[in-house]
Amino acid sequence: MKMAPDEITLKLRDVRAAAGLSLSKVAEMTGVSKAMLGQIERGESSPTIATLWKIAKGFQLPLGALIGSETLRETPSSDVFRTVTFPGSLEVKIVFPFDPALRAETFHVDLAPNQSHESAAHATGVTEEVFVLHGSLEILRDGEWVPLQAGQGLRFAADLPHGYRAGDQGAAFLNMHHYAQLDALAAIG
Amino acid sequence: MKMAPDEITLKLRDVRAAAGLSLSKVAEMTGVSKAMLGQIERGESSPTIATLWKIAKGFQLPLGALIGSETLRETPSSDVFRTVTFPGSLEVKIVFPFDPALRAETFHVDLAPNQSHESAAHATGVTEEVFVLHGSLEILRDGEWVPLQAGQGLRFAADLPHGYRAGDQGAAFLNMHHYAQLDALAAIG
DNA sequence: ACCACATGTGCGCTATAACGCACAAGGGGA
DNA sequence: TCCCCTTGTGCGTTATAGCGCACATGTGGT
């Protein structure tokens, strides 16, 4: 119960909330007991880097994403395009990785001609933005297909089913994900 | 002595060697016992983040400087194309208007060949992201010009002076602004 | 040689990080 | 209503991070 004069803040709770996961789920995917996770979130415990590392790896996030400090004001490598595979077997490139301070991330997505991708509803409070780079794209929003050309953008709530459908020449677009604040959600309710 | 399956490496020894300091000296300036410092260097102990933080502050280094490696950052907003004129007589299009819930907005900026634009420091807590659509662009960040090509992105803290400079064929890029607090409204003007 | 000092490591003790388990509270079904 | 499952927190135990101190080695000075 020492509670050192913490100038350091851990954003575990924010990250977990953004992902819409329970302590139990996080405990499974990180290998850290949920009791410990709870204590860390409440600031009752100062974890070792080994534990922090486990958590970061479980979330597939850089270690710094869990630490709240001035350290965050650093560099973004411009060409570190990492690629990840999405739920719907869709492969995308990470343009801007998730930052808990901004609660947002940006992907670069390529769709082959006429390729489509359906996405189930995300956690509540998630907003998506799409900006078309090349080709033509249709987005399913509120049960309606919205056509977009290169240079056009669309913003929509992602806590509803939605989808993407490329035109005859395929499409490339940026996909931004925004995760709402906790108090923002409370304010809405 | 368990020594968890560390995939993580601490650079304490390197940093200390680079500074030419003894364990005792480091112990003084960090407030961490030299015995512990020695164990950490030898990998016999996995420090808590509180301890790591002490060490980092003692060295006046960002926390990341002691850890293997990492980076972070990220994103923004919307619908119709409105155009506005910016302080520096720069004309931009609004891709995604500011949304209080997201605290973010996205602009589409066109620069003529070799055109440049300097920007004074914004309010604290403002983060910018730039994604180059066409041409080549250089961004002044931390007093250093970072070159970017089409398809590349860069994220940086905007509470410092920064600037944009197009290449010989001009440049087009997306510019996302993220505001950390609610006072973001005041920062928009 | 000898000594004064500084280096890094080993030892015992205390504080606490981390675990597994159990429990109180809330949310749906049937 | 009753039941069952999931949520997060509290408790007791074990592992270990972190401390102060002492020791072995090393280096230079006179």
Side-chain angles (χ1 to χ4, degrees):
Chain A
M1 235 75 66
K2 189 198 59 184
M3 251 298 73
D6 267 5
E7 309 222 25
I8 183 171
T9 313
L10 294 181
K11 306 197 168 184
L12 208 183
R13 172 160 268 153
D14 299 339
V15 171
R16 186 171 67 86
L21 296 171
S22 67
L23 286 180
S24 303
K25 297 276 179 58
V26 175
E28 283 182 23
M29 51 194 280
T30 62
V32 177
S33 71
K34 72 174 179 179
M36 178 47 54
L37 291 171
Q39 291 187 21
I40 293 174
E41 286 190 352
R42 281 173 271 146
E44 295 176 7
S45 179
S46 175
T48 64
I49 52 166
T51 302
L52 253 199
W53 187 257
K54 283 190 197 170
I55 299 174
K57 286 186 65 177
F59 275 105
Q60 295 185 321
L61 284 176
L63 217 169
L66 296 173
I67 305 174
S69 64
E70 315 86 68
T71 308
L72 297 186
R73 289 262 173 253
E74 288 185 25
T75 73
S77 34
S78 50
D79 41 12
V80 173
F81 276 51
R82 227 180 9 156
T83 60
V84 295
T85 306
F86 244 68
S89 73
L90 188 62
E91 200 174 63
V92 302
K93 295 178 181 178
I94 298 177
V95 177
F96 297 114
F98 179 78
D99 185 329
L102 306 179
R103 298 176 196 291
E105 56 191 339
T106 301
F107 303 104
H108 180 287
V109 185
D110 263 299
L111 288 182
N114 300 309
Q115 183 182 2
S116 66
H117 173 68
E118 301 284 335
S119 178
H122 296 181
T124 55
V126 178
T127 302
E128 281 195 36
E129 289 171 346
V130 169
F131 181 86
V132 180
L133 300 172
H134 302 293
S136 60
L137 181 72
E138 285 185 320
I139 296 184
L140 177 61
R141 180 186 63 170
D142 295 338
E144 183 180 14
W145 285 98
V146 179
L148 291 178
Q149 297 300 319
Q152 292 185 317
L154 184 70
R155 175 191 287 163
F156 57 94
D159 50 6
L160 296 171
H162 53 281
Y164 315 91
R165 188 164 65 188
D168 291 340
Q169 311 119 32
F173 62 93
L174 290 183
N175 189 10
M176 301 82 152
H177 287 195
H178 292 262
Y179 302 89
Q181 292 259 37
L182 294 179
D183 43 25
L185 290 175
I188 298 173
Chain B
M1 206 91 91
K2 196 195 62 182
M3 251 298 70
D6 267 5
E7 310 221 27
I8 182 172
T9 313
L10 295 181
K11 301 183 176 178
L12 211 184
R13 171 159 270 153
D14 298 340
V15 171
R16 187 171 64 88
L21 296 171
S22 68
L23 285 181
S24 304
K25 295 279 179 59
V26 175
E28 283 182 24
M29 50 193 281
T30 61
V32 178
S33 72
K34 70 174 180 178
M36 178 48 56
L37 291 171
Q39 290 187 22
I40 293 174
E41 286 190 352
R42 281 172 271 146
E44 295 176 7
S45 179
S46 176
T48 64
I49 53 165
T51 301
L52 252 199
W53 186 255
K54 283 189 198 171
I55 299 174
K57 286 187 66 176
F59 275 106
Q60 295 186 319
L61 284 176
L63 219 169
L66 296 172
I67 306 175
S69 64
E70 247 66 56
T71 40
L72 12 141
R73 235 79 329 184
E74 5 124 3
T75 109
S77 154
S78 206
D79 269 285
V80 191
F81 268 37
R82 233 184 355 161
T83 60
V84 292
T85 305
F86 244 68
S89 73
L90 188 64
E91 201 173 62
V92 302
K93 296 177 181 178
I94 298 179
V95 178
F96 297 116
F98 179 78
D99 184 327
L102 305 180
R103 294 202 297 280
E105 57 190 337
T106 300
F107 304 104
H108 180 290
V109 184
D110 263 299
L111 287 182
N114 299 311
Q115 183 183 2
S116 67
H117 173 68
E118 300 284 335
S119 178
H122 296 180
T124 56
V126 178
T127 301
E128 283 196 34
E129 289 173 345
V130 168
F131 182 86
V132 180
L133 299 171
H134 303 292
S136 60
L137 180 72
E138 284 185 320
I139 296 183
L140 177 61
R141 183 189 62 172
D142 293 339
E144 183 179 17
W145 286 98
V146 180
L148 291 178
Q149 298 299 320
Q152 292 186 317
L154 184 70
R155 176 189 288 160
F156 56 94
D159 50 6
L160 296 171
H162 53 281
Y164 314 92
R165 188 164 65 188
D168 291 338
Q169 312 119 31
F173 61 94
L174 289 182
N175 189 9
M176 299 82 151
H177 288 196
H178 293 262
Y179 303 90
Q181 303 276 355
L182 294 178
D183 51 35
L185 292 175
I188 300 176

